[in-house]
Amino acid sequence: MADSAETVKKTVETATAQVKASAEKAQVQAEKMQAAGAQAFREAADKSVAGLTELNAEGKKNLEAVVASAAAAQKGVEAISAQTVAYGKKSWEDGVAAAQSLAQARSVQEALELQTNWAKSAAESYLAEVTRMTDMFTASVKDSFKPINERVTASVEKFQAAR
């Protein structure tokens, strides 16, 4: 019996040593996995923070473009409004002057000539003003959309580069 007790004791000691070795290996593996998981989490968090920072910077640039666009539009509206007021004033003054000239006409023939000249001049002035206002409006729209177009172009180039 002493031999079988000794055999059992050695078997138990060997099994215990194997279990301890397996447990130590499992613990080392668990620590490695935990470290790898923590590293992956840190990398993902860093990428997320970097992405949010970049997104914030892009949002700021977009907002600046919208503000610049609104400022350009406001400037254009102010210029068009000033031009409209100036043209209205000049047109009114020309009409009053034409009416005074007509009132001083000495004959029907002279009145018709004055009226014809005034109508021709008024029509030419109106067409010139329409052309000028169209040019001003076109320039205003172009200036208003320029900052936004630049941001869109930059964003498209950035996305294409990221492919």
Coordinates of all heavy atoms in Angstrom, one line a residue, residues 37-112:
G37 N -6.8 44.1 -26.1 CA -8.1 44.7 -26.1 C -8.0 46.2 -25.7 O -8.6 47.0 -26.3
A38 N -7.2 46.4 -24.6 CA -7.0 47.8 -24.2 C -6.4 48.6 -25.2 O -6.7 49.8 -25.5 CB -6.2 47.8 -22.9
Q39 N -5.4 48.1 -25.9 CA -4.6 48.8 -26.9 C -5.6 49.1 -28.1 O -5.6 50.2 -28.6 CB -3.4 47.9 -27.4 CG -2.6 48.6 -28.5 CD -2.0 49.9 -28.1 OE1 -1.6 50.1 -26.9 NE2 -1.8 50.8 -29.1
A40 N -6.4 48.1 -28.5 CA -7.3 48.3 -29.6 C -8.4 49.3 -29.2 O -8.7 50.2 -30.1 CB -8.0 47.0 -29.9
F41 N -8.8 49.3 -28.0 CA -9.8 50.4 -27.5 C -9.1 51.7 -27.6 O -9.8 52.7 -28.0 CB -10.2 50.0 -26.1 CG -11.2 51.0 -25.6 CD1 -12.5 51.0 -26.0 CD2 -10.8 52.0 -24.7 CE1 -13.4 52.0 -25.5 CE2 -11.7 53.0 -24.2 CZ -13.0 52.9 -24.6
R42 N -7.9 51.8 -27.1 CA -7.2 53.1 -27.1 C -7.0 53.6 -28.5 O -7.2 54.8 -28.8 CB -5.8 53.0 -26.5 CG -5.8 53.2 -25.0 CD -4.4 53.4 -24.4 NE -3.5 52.3 -24.6 CZ -3.5 51.2 -23.8 NH1 -4.2 51.2 -22.7 NH2 -2.7 50.2 -24.0
E43 N -6.6 52.7 -29.5 CA -6.5 53.1 -30.9 C -7.8 53.6 -31.5 O -7.8 54.6 -32.2 CB -5.9 52.0 -31.7 CG -4.4 51.7 -31.3 CD -3.9 50.5 -32.0 OE1 -4.6 49.8 -32.8 OE2 -2.7 50.2 -31.8
A44 N -8.9 52.9 -31.2 CA -10.2 53.2 -31.7 C -10.6 54.6 -31.1 O -11.2 55.4 -31.8 CB -11.2 52.1 -31.4
A45 N -10.4 54.8 -29.8 CA -10.7 56.0 -29.2 C -9.9 57.2 -29.8 O -10.5 58.3 -30.0 CB -10.5 55.9 -27.7
D46 N -8.6 57.0 -30.0 CA -7.8 58.0 -30.6 C -8.3 58.3 -32.0 O -8.3 59.5 -32.4 CB -6.3 57.5 -30.6 CG -5.7 57.5 -29.2 OD1 -6.3 58.1 -28.3 OD2 -4.6 56.9 -29.1
K47 N -8.6 57.3 -32.8 CA -9.1 57.6 -34.1 C -10.5 58.3 -34.1 O -10.7 59.2 -34.9 CB -9.3 56.2 -34.9 CG -8.0 55.6 -35.4 CD -8.3 54.4 -36.1 CE -6.9 53.7 -36.6 NZ -7.2 52.5 -37.3
S48 N -11.3 58.0 -33.1 CA -12.6 58.6 -33.0 C -12.4 60.1 -32.6 O -13.0 61.0 -33.2 CB -13.4 58.0 -31.9 OG -13.8 56.7 -32.3
V49 N -11.5 60.4 -31.7 CA -11.2 61.7 -31.3 C -10.6 62.5 -32.4 O -11.0 63.7 -32.7 CB -10.3 61.8 -30.0 CG1 -9.7 63.2 -29.8 CG2 -11.0 61.2 -28.8
A50 N -9.7 61.9 -33.2 CA -9.1 62.5 -34.3 C -10.1 62.8 -35.4 O -10.2 63.9 -36.0 CB -8.0 61.7 -34.9
G51 N -11.0 61.9 -35.6 CA -12.1 62.1 -36.6 C -13.1 63.2 -36.1 O -13.5 64.0 -37.0
L52 N -13.4 63.2 -34.9 CA -14.3 64.3 -34.4 C -13.6 65.7 -34.4 O -14.2 66.7 -34.8 CB -14.7 64.0 -32.9 CG -15.7 62.9 -32.8 CD1 -15.9 62.6 -31.3 CD2 -17.0 63.2 -33.4
T53 N -12.3 65.7 -34.2 CA -11.5 66.9 -34.3 C -11.5 67.4 -35.7 O -11.8 68.6 -36.0 CB -10.1 66.7 -33.8 OG1 -10.1 66.3 -32.4 CG2 -9.3 68.0 -33.9
E54 N -11.3 66.5 -36.7 CA -11.3 66.9 -38.1 C -12.7 67.3 -38.5 O -12.9 68.3 -39.2 CB -10.9 65.7 -38.9 CG -10.7 66.0 -40.4 CD -10.1 64.9 -41.2 OE1 -9.5 64.0 -40.6 OE2 -10.3 64.9 -42.4
L55 N -13.7 66.6 -38.1 CA -15.1 67.0 -38.4 C -15.4 68.3 -37.8 O -16.1 69.2 -38.5 CB -16.1 65.9 -37.8 CG -17.5 66.1 -38.2 CD1 -17.7 66.0 -39.7 CD2 -18.3 65.0 -37.4
N56 N -15.0 68.6 -36.6 CA -15.2 70.0 -36.0 C -14.5 71.0 -36.9 O -15.1 72.1 -37.1 CB -14.7 70.0 -34.6 CG -15.0 71.2 -33.8 OD1 -16.0 71.9 -34.1 ND2 -14.2 71.6 -32.9
A57 N -13.3 70.8 -37.3 CA -12.6 71.7 -38.1 C -13.3 72.0 -39.4 O -13.4 73.1 -39.9 CB -11.1 71.3 -38.4
E58 N -13.8 70.9 -40.1 CA -14.5 71.0 -41.3 C -15.8 71.8 -41.1 O -16.2 72.7 -41.9 CB -14.8 69.7 -41.9 CG -13.6 68.9 -42.4 CD -12.9 69.7 -43.5 OE1 -13.5 70.1 -44.5 OE2 -11.6 69.8 -43.4
G59 N -16.5 71.5 -40.0 CA -17.7 72.3 -39.7 C -17.4 73.8 -39.5 O -18.2 74.6 -39.9
K60 N -16.3 74.1 -38.8 CA -15.9 75.5 -38.6 C -15.7 76.2 -40.0 O -16.1 77.3 -40.2 CB -14.7 75.6 -37.7 CG -14.3 77.0 -37.4 CD -13.0 77.0 -36.5 CE -12.6 78.5 -36.3 NZ -11.4 78.6 -35.6
K61 N -15.0 75.5 -40.9 CA -14.7 76.0 -42.2 C -16.0 76.2 -43.0 O -16.1 77.2 -43.7 CB -13.7 75.1 -43.0 CG -12.3 75.1 -42.4 CD -11.5 74.1 -43.2 CE -10.1 74.0 -42.6 NZ -9.3 72.9 -43.3
N62 N -16.9 75.3 -42.9 CA -18.2 75.4 -43.5 C -19.0 76.6 -43.0 O -19.6 77.3 -43.8 CB -19.0 74.1 -43.4 CG -18.4 72.9 -44.2 OD1 -17.6 73.1 -45.0 ND2 -18.8 71.7 -43.8
L63 N -19.0 76.7 -41.7 CA -19.7 77.9 -41.1 C -19.1 79.2 -41.6 O -19.8 80.2 -41.9 CB -19.7 77.8 -39.6 CG -20.4 78.9 -38.9 CD1 -21.9 78.9 -39.2 CD2 -20.3 78.7 -37.4
E64 N -17.7 79.2 -41.6 CA -17.1 80.5 -42.1 C -17.4 80.7 -43.6 O -17.6 81.9 -43.9 CB -15.5 80.3 -41.9 CG -15.1 80.4 -40.5 CD -13.6 80.0 -40.3 OE1 -13.0 79.5 -41.3 OE2 -13.1 80.1 -39.2
A65 N -17.6 79.7 -44.4 CA -17.9 79.9 -45.8 C -19.4 80.4 -45.9 O -19.6 81.3 -46.7 CB -17.8 78.6 -46.5
V66 N -20.3 79.9 -45.0 CA -21.6 80.4 -45.0 C -21.7 81.9 -44.6 O -22.4 82.7 -45.2 CB -22.5 79.5 -44.1 CG1 -23.9 80.2 -43.9 CG2 -22.7 78.1 -44.7
V67 N -20.9 82.2 -43.6 CA -20.9 83.6 -43.1 C -20.3 84.5 -44.2 O -20.9 85.6 -44.5 CB -20.1 83.7 -41.8 CG1 -19.8 85.2 -41.5 CG2 -20.8 83.1 -40.7
A68 N -19.3 84.1 -44.9 CA -18.7 84.9 -46.0 C -19.7 85.0 -47.1 O -19.8 86.1 -47.7 CB -17.4 84.2 -46.5
S69 N -20.4 83.9 -47.4 CA -21.4 84.0 -48.5 C -22.5 85.0 -48.1 O -22.9 85.7 -49.0 CB -22.0 82.6 -48.7 OG -23.0 82.6 -49.6
A70 N -23.0 84.9 -46.9 CA -24.0 85.8 -46.5 C -23.6 87.3 -46.5 O -24.3 88.2 -46.9 CB -24.5 85.5 -45.1
A71 N -22.3 87.5 -46.1 CA -21.8 88.9 -46.2 C -21.7 89.4 -47.6 O -22.0 90.5 -47.9 CB -20.4 88.9 -45.5
A72 N -21.3 88.5 -48.5 CA -21.2 88.9 -49.9 C -22.6 89.2 -50.5 O -22.8 90.1 -51.3 CB -20.5 87.8 -50.7
A73 N -23.5 88.3 -50.1 CA -24.9 88.6 -50.6 C -25.5 89.9 -50.0 O -26.1 90.6 -50.8 CB -25.8 87.4 -50.1
Q74 N -25.2 90.2 -48.8 CA -25.7 91.4 -48.2 C -25.0 92.6 -48.9 O -25.7 93.6 -49.2 CB -25.3 91.5 -46.7 CG -25.8 92.8 -46.1 CD -25.5 92.8 -44.6 OE1 -24.9 91.9 -44.0 NE2 -25.8 93.9 -43.9
K75 N -23.7 92.5 -49.2 CA -23.1 93.6 -49.9 C -23.7 93.8 -51.3 O -23.9 94.9 -51.7 CB -21.6 93.2 -50.0 CG -20.7 94.3 -50.7 CD -19.3 93.9 -50.7 CE -18.4 94.9 -51.5 NZ -17.0 94.4 -51.6
G76 N -24.0 92.7 -52.0 CA -24.6 92.8 -53.3 C -26.0 93.4 -53.2 O -26.3 94.2 -54.1
V77 N -26.8 93.0 -52.2 CA -28.1 93.6 -52.1 C -28.0 95.1 -51.8 O -28.8 95.9 -52.3 CB -28.9 92.9 -51.0 CG1 -30.1 93.6 -50.6 CG2 -29.2 91.5 -51.4
E78 N -27.1 95.5 -51.0 CA -26.9 96.9 -50.7 C -26.5 97.7 -51.9 O -27.0 98.8 -52.2 CB -25.8 97.1 -49.6 CG -26.3 96.7 -48.2 CD -25.1 96.7 -47.2 OE1 -24.0 97.0 -47.5 OE2 -25.4 96.4 -46.0
A79 N -25.6 97.1 -52.7 CA -25.2 97.8 -54.0 C -26.4 97.9 -55.0 O -26.6 99.0 -55.6 CB -24.0 97.1 -54.6
I80 N -27.1 96.8 -55.1 CA -28.3 96.9 -56.0 C -29.3 97.8 -55.5 O -29.9 98.6 -56.3 CB -28.9 95.4 -56.2 CG1 -27.9 94.6 -57.0 CG2 -30.2 95.5 -56.8 CD1 -28.2 93.1 -57.0
S81 N -29.6 97.9 -54.2 CA -30.5 98.8 -53.6 C -30.1 100.2 -53.9 O -30.9 101.1 -54.2 CB -30.7 98.6 -52.1 OG -31.3 97.3 -51.9
A82 N -28.8 100.5 -53.6 CA -28.3 101.9 -53.9 C -28.5 102.3 -55.3 O -28.9 103.4 -55.6 CB -26.9 102.0 -53.4
Q83 N -28.2 101.3 -56.2 CA -28.3 101.6 -57.6 C -29.7 101.8 -58.0 O -30.0 102.7 -58.8 CB -27.7 100.5 -58.5 CG -27.7 100.7 -60.0 CD -26.8 101.9 -60.4 OE1 -25.8 102.2 -59.8 NE2 -27.3 102.6 -61.4
T84 N -30.6 101.1 -57.5 CA -32.1 101.2 -57.8 C -32.6 102.6 -57.3 O -33.3 103.2 -58.0 CB -32.9 100.1 -57.1 OG1 -32.4 98.8 -57.5 CG2 -34.4 100.2 -57.3
V85 N -32.2 103.0 -56.1 CA -32.6 104.3 -55.6 C -32.0 105.4 -56.5 O -32.7 106.4 -56.8 CB -32.1 104.5 -54.1 CG1 -32.3 105.9 -53.7 CG2 -32.9 103.5 -53.2
A86 N -30.8 105.3 -56.9 CA -30.1 106.3 -57.7 C -30.8 106.4 -59.1 O -31.1 107.5 -59.6 CB -28.6 106.0 -57.9
Y87 N -31.1 105.2 -59.6 CA -31.8 105.2 -60.9 C -33.2 105.8 -60.8 O -33.7 106.6 -61.7 CB -31.9 103.8 -61.5 CG -32.7 103.8 -62.8 CD1 -32.2 104.3 -64.0 CD2 -34.0 103.3 -62.8 CE1 -33.0 104.3 -65.1 CE2 -34.8 103.3 -64.0 CZ -34.3 103.8 -65.1 OH -35.0 103.8 -66.3
G88 N -33.9 105.5 -59.8 CA -35.3 106.0 -59.6 C -35.3 107.5 -59.4 O -36.1 108.2 -60.0
K89 N -34.3 108.0 -58.7 CA -34.2 109.5 -58.5 C -33.9 110.2 -59.8 O -34.5 111.1 -60.1 CB -33.1 109.8 -57.4 CG -32.9 111.2 -57.2 CD -31.8 111.4 -56.1 CE -31.5 112.9 -55.9 NZ -30.4 113.2 -55.1
K90 N -32.9 109.6 -60.5 CA -32.5 110.2 -61.8 C -33.7 110.1 -62.8 O -34.0 111.1 -63.5 CB -31.3 109.5 -62.4 CG -30.8 110.1 -63.7 CD -29.6 109.4 -64.3 CE -29.1 110.0 -65.6 NZ -30.1 110.5 -66.5
S91 N -34.4 109.0 -62.8 CA -35.5 108.9 -63.7 C -36.6 109.9 -63.4 O -37.2 110.5 -64.3 CB -36.1 107.4 -63.6 OG -37.2 107.3 -64.5
W92 N -36.9 110.1 -62.1 CA -37.9 111.0 -61.7 C -37.5 112.4 -62.1 O -38.3 113.2 -62.6 CB -38.1 110.9 -60.2 CG -39.0 112.0 -59.6 CD1 -38.7 113.2 -59.0 CD2 -40.4 112.0 -59.7 NE1 -39.8 113.8 -58.7 CE2 -40.9 113.1 -59.1 CE3 -41.4 111.0 -60.2 CZ2 -42.3 113.4 -59.0 CZ3 -42.7 111.3 -60.1 CH2 -43.1 112.5 -59.5
E93 N -36.2 112.8 -61.9 CA -35.7 114.1 -62.2 C -35.8 114.3 -63.7 O -36.2 115.4 -64.2 CB -34.3 114.3 -61.7 CG -34.1 114.4 -60.2 CD -32.7 114.3 -59.7 OE1 -31.8 114.1 -60.5 OE2 -32.5 114.5 -58.5
D94 N -35.4 113.3 -64.5 CA -35.5 113.4 -66.0 C -37.0 113.6 -66.4 O -37.3 114.4 -67.3 CB -34.9 112.2 -66.7 CG -33.4 112.1 -66.5 OD1 -32.8 113.1 -66.1 OD2 -32.8 111.0 -66.8
G95 N -37.9 112.9 -65.8 CA -39.3 113.0 -66.1 C -39.8 114.4 -65.8 O -40.6 115.0 -66.6
V96 N -39.4 115.0 -64.6 CA -39.8 116.3 -64.3 C -39.3 117.3 -65.3 O -40.0 118.2 -65.7 CB -39.4 116.6 -62.8 CG1 -39.6 118.1 -62.5 CG2 -40.2 115.8 -61.8
A97 N -38.0 117.2 -65.6 CA -37.4 118.1 -66.6 C -38.1 118.0 -67.9 O -38.3 119.0 -68.6 CB -35.9 117.8 -66.7
A98 N -38.5 116.8 -68.3 CA -39.2 116.6 -69.6 C -40.5 117.3 -69.5 O -41.0 117.9 -70.5 CB -39.3 115.1 -69.9
A99 N -41.2 117.1 -68.4 CA -42.5 117.7 -68.3 C -42.4 119.3 -68.3 O -43.3 119.9 -68.9 CB -43.2 117.3 -67.0
Q100 N -41.4 119.8 -67.7 CA -41.2 121.3 -67.8 C -40.9 121.7 -69.2 O -41.4 122.8 -69.6 CB -40.1 121.7 -66.8 CG -40.4 121.6 -65.4 CD -39.2 121.8 -64.5 OE1 -38.1 121.8 -64.9 NE2 -39.5 122.1 -63.2
S101 N -40.1 121.0 -69.9 CA -39.8 121.3 -71.3 C -41.1 121.2 -72.2 O -41.3 122.1 -73.0 CB -38.8 120.3 -71.9 OG -37.6 120.5 -71.3
L102 N -41.9 120.2 -71.9 CA -43.1 120.1 -72.7 C -44.1 121.3 -72.4 O -44.8 121.7 -73.3 CB -43.9 118.8 -72.3 CG -43.3 117.5 -73.0 CD1 -44.0 116.3 -72.4 CD2 -43.5 117.6 -74.5
A103 N -44.1 121.7 -71.1 CA -44.9 122.8 -70.8 C -44.5 124.1 -71.4 O -45.3 125.0 -71.7 CB -45.0 123.0 -69.3
Q104 N -43.3 124.2 -71.8 CA -42.7 125.4 -72.4 C -42.7 125.3 -73.9 O -42.3 126.3 -74.6 CB -41.3 125.7 -71.9 CG -41.3 126.0 -70.4 CD -39.8 126.1 -69.9 OE1 -38.9 126.0 -70.7 NE2 -39.7 126.5 -68.6
A105 N -43.2 124.2 -74.5 CA -43.2 124.1 -75.9 C -44.1 125.1 -76.6 O -45.1 125.5 -76.0 CB -43.7 122.7 -76.3
R106 N -43.7 125.7 -77.7 CA -44.4 126.7 -78.4 C -45.4 126.2 -79.5 O -46.2 127.0 -79.9 CB -43.4 127.7 -79.0 CG -42.6 128.4 -77.9 CD -41.9 129.6 -78.5 NE -41.1 130.3 -77.5 CZ -39.9 130.2 -77.3 NH1 -39.1 129.4 -78.0 NH2 -39.3 130.9 -76.3
S107 N -45.2 124.9 -79.8 CA -46.0 124.4 -80.8 C -46.2 122.9 -80.6 O -45.5 122.3 -79.8 CB -45.5 124.6 -82.2 OG -44.3 123.8 -82.4
V108 N -47.3 122.3 -81.2 CA -47.5 120.9 -81.1 C -46.4 120.1 -81.7 O -45.9 119.1 -81.1 CB -48.9 120.6 -81.8 CG1 -49.1 119.1 -81.8 CG2 -50.0 121.3 -81.2
Q109 N -45.8 120.6 -82.8 CA -44.7 119.9 -83.4 C -43.5 119.9 -82.4 O -42.9 118.8 -82.2 CB -44.3 120.7 -84.7 CG -43.1 120.1 -85.4 CD -43.4 118.7 -86.0 OE1 -44.6 118.3 -86.3 NE2 -42.4 117.9 -86.2
E110 N -43.2 121.0 -81.8 CA -42.1 121.0 -80.8 C -42.4 120.1 -79.6 O -41.5 119.4 -79.1 CB -41.9 122.5 -80.3 CG -40.7 122.6 -79.4 CD -40.5 124.0 -78.9 OE1 -41.2 124.9 -79.3 OE2 -39.6 124.2 -78.0
A111 N -43.6 120.0 -79.1 CA -44.0 119.2 -78.0 C -43.8 117.7 -78.4 O -43.3 116.9 -77.6 CB -45.4 119.5 -77.6
L112 N -44.2 117.4 -79.6 CA -44.0 116.0 -80.1 C -42.6 115.6 -80.2 O -42.2 114.5 -79.8 CB -44.7 115.8 -81.4 CG -46.3 115.7 -81.4 CD1 -46.8 115.6 -82.8 CD2 -46.7 114.5 -80.6

